[in-house]
Amino acid sequence: MYDAGLIPERATDASQAFAAWQRDGASILVTGGRTEVDLLEATHAVFAGHLLAEMPPSKVAPNPVPDQEGYDPASRTILANAAETLELHDDGHRAFGDRYPDLVCLLCARQAPEGGASFLVDGRRLVDGITADPERTGLAHFLWEQPIDQTVPAPNSPPPPPSTRPLAARTPEGRLSIRYFKLLEAPQEPAGATDHLAEWVRLGREEAAAAPRFSLQPGDLLCIDNYRAFHGRDPYTGPGRLLHRVIGWTDASFGLPPGAGWVRPAVAGSPS
């Protein structure tokens, strides 16, 4: 174990939330908001001047069909299986390839009556621990040297550009980017890579199981550095849990993917 669990700092000031996001990989801005409009206003306040583009907001809500999950494009709702743990993951690399979003913001509108705690794993701390571990030299080389492509086309969308980078890489400006995901059912990884990838996934699951939990309260905006911190949540009960989500690209990302449906944020101080 590498003690990579992360508790985000809570802030009431947007600039403090941005500083904590840069420093730690995640932060929480305490707001009075509950709506998609509130989500965008708070996100723009935290990342004003740094946000290049964003996808239209979506919702995260329990699936009315028990023990199932999916996505409803008509309502832009991610339908969660409330009975199961949402496994550790990052957002967007399967849909956007190398230029996946570096920002995920989740605004809690309603929390579950019981359960639903969130958890975060600091990918930088995890990779640093693996790199320094003499028993995991092979895994460290794999993370930094072996390109892995798990891009998956979205329904009725053109195929995403393939990923050509290893799981651990740096932007031209030197910012660390680390990807984490569960194994595909039909993996197409290069020969010899599957065992290392399985080990990477196993270590992430161990860190997720040991990570400290925290509960988002209505009005809490969780800002995640999607290049650094992986996230998930525990099972919960009750139909009321609702989050609003936006993913975006800052001026410290790998850049915008072509033709991905993103929009420029209409906020003072944002790049035009």
Side-chain angles (χ1 to χ4, degrees), residues 155-186:
N156 304 315
S157 298
S163 175
T164 59
R165 297 193 190 101
L167 298 183
R170 293 191 181 275
T171 68
E173 291 75 25
R175 181 183 176 193
L176 182 62
S177 163
I178 307 167
R179 291 181 293 144
Y180 182 87
F181 39 74
K182 63 183 180 180
L183 291 166
L184 292 178
E185 294 181 0

Side-chain angles (χ1 to χ4, degrees), residues 93-141:
H93 71 264
R94 287 184 172 169
F96 300 108
D98 281 343
R99 296 189 176 188
Y100 72 110
D102 65 328
L103 175 63
V104 176
C105 287
L106 295 161
L107 178 68
C108 179
R110 295 189 301 270
Q111 187 51 274
E114 184 175 350
S118 299
F119 52 88
L120 294 164
V121 169
D122 185 344
R124 177 188 298 175
R125 198 182 310 164
L126 181 55
V127 168
D128 285 349
I130 290 170
T131 302
D133 189 339
E135 296 183 1
R136 292 204 160 96
T137 302
L139 177 59
H141 284 296

